[in-house]
Amino acid sequence: MLYNKNGDKMRLRNVKNKQQIMDASSYLVKDPIQYCGKWNTYFNNSQPIHIEIGTGKGQFIIGMALSHPEINFIGIEKYDSVIARALEKIPENISNLCMIRMDALMIDQVFSKEIETIYLNFSDPWPKKRQTKRRLTSEVFLKKYDSIFYQDATIVQKTDNRQLFEYSLCSFSQYGYQFIDLSLDLHHSLIEGNVMTEYEEKFSKKGQSIFYVSAVKKLSSHTKKD
């Protein structure tokens, strides 16, 4: 991750050969905008599509793809050095996974009414009040997400930052989301099927509580995908 639990920025290690790694990887989609509204043609199937915004070094999204071959997964990461490390970790011959290097603000230019679930794992909390609109659970982003979901909107969030979690619960509720699952201590809850991120694994070993919510909103104006 690029911040610590207090919201302070952490130094990003540069990967010197990041461009070569990105150029050589068949899992990195170089021009994702061309697939907007037709990602099923990229995967060559009609399976549900789940995305992770801020995929980090890839442990979560790779684990999910391996555990759920019936679902297509797309990892989105803003930083070249980080996504390069994720690309290096992907085993060969995974047909239900790809990665995109882009800023999340572009998300409604890359997807259109085709996403089933969004995962937000340990997102940057942007703790200062003037940074509120940059949070991935702010109204700015929730409005963008509306246009990429194809039917019901489902967002799953994990974080160790209480301030961000409390903010997100209020933001979701005010925007019409209902909570399906919620935990203030995920690893000591009855919630099943959790796949840990690198960051989550590290801090849970130190006894850090992980906050979790699965939130759903009906999008009645959308037509169900064929």
Side-chain angles (χ1 to χ4, degrees), residues 163-196:
Q163 180 185 8
L164 175 63
F165 189 66
E166 292 174 350
Y167 169 86
S168 298
L169 294 182
C170 292
S171 184
F172 288 144
S173 181
Q174 292 170 0
Y175 205 71
Y177 280 82
Q178 296 181 329
F179 305 139
I180 304 302
D181 281 312
L182 190 152
S183 176
L184 302 181
D185 191 357
L186 174 60
H187 297 163
H188 293 93
S189 74
L190 297 177
I191 296 172
E192 299 179 346
N194 181 52
V195 174
M196 287 198 283

Side-chain angles (χ1 to χ4, degrees), residues 38-83:
K38 50 185 178 182
W39 278 94
N40 61 312
T41 64
Y42 174 87
F43 289 105
N44 197 30
N45 61 50
S46 58
Q47 294 180 171
I49 302 173
H50 293 194
I51 65 174
E52 181 188 17
I53 303 176
T55 202
K57 296 179 182 178
Q59 180 170 299
F60 173 84
I61 200 76
I62 295 170
M64 290 293 285
L66 291 171
S67 300
H68 299 280
E70 76 283 2
I71 299 172
N72 296 323
F73 291 91
I74 302 175
I76 298 168
E77 176 54 52
K78 180 179 180 179
Y79 299 98
D80 290 351
S81 288
V82 180
I83 202 169

Side-chain angles (χ1 to χ4, degrees), residues 43-148:
F43 289 105
N44 197 30
N45 61 50
S46 58
Q47 294 180 171
I49 302 173
H50 293 194
I51 65 174
E52 181 188 17
I53 303 176
T55 202
K57 296 179 182 178
Q59 180 170 299
F60 173 84
I61 200 76
I62 295 170
M64 290 293 285
L66 291 171
S67 300
H68 299 280
E70 76 283 2
I71 299 172
N72 296 323
F73 291 91
I74 302 175
I76 298 168
E77 176 54 52
K78 180 179 180 179
Y79 299 98
D80 290 351
S81 288
V82 180
I83 202 169
R85 287 293 179 244
L87 292 169
E88 287 182 313
K89 290 183 178 181
I90 302 176
E92 294 183 3
N93 302 317
I94 299 182
S95 61
N96 64 325
L97 173 65
C98 69
M99 307 288 283
I100 300 173
R101 211 294 293 166
M102 73 173 193
D103 191 301
L105 285 168
M106 293 179 58
I107 198 165
D108 51 350
Q109 300 176 44
V110 173
F111 304 105
S112 178
K113 299 182 181 179
E114 56 197 322
I115 302 304
E116 182 180 274
T117 300
I118 294 176
Y119 300 100
L120 303 175
N121 293 319
F122 303 92
S123 309
D124 192 327
W126 295 108
K128 297 179 180 178
K129 187 174 182 180
R130 59 183 170 80
Q131 299 172 328
T132 300
K133 292 182 179 180
R134 297 187 183 186
R135 297 172 187 166
L136 293 179
T137 52
S138 70
E139 186 177 2
V140 170
F141 282 97
L142 293 180
K143 285 181 177 180
K144 287 180 176 288
Y145 302 155
D146 275 354
S147 69
I148 75 172

Side-chain angles (χ1 to χ4, degrees), residues 11-16 18 81 85:
R11 185 171 177 267
L12 174 62
R13 292 185 179 180
N14 182 53
V15 176
K16 293 182 179 180
K18 58 183 179 292
S81 288
R85 287 293 179 244

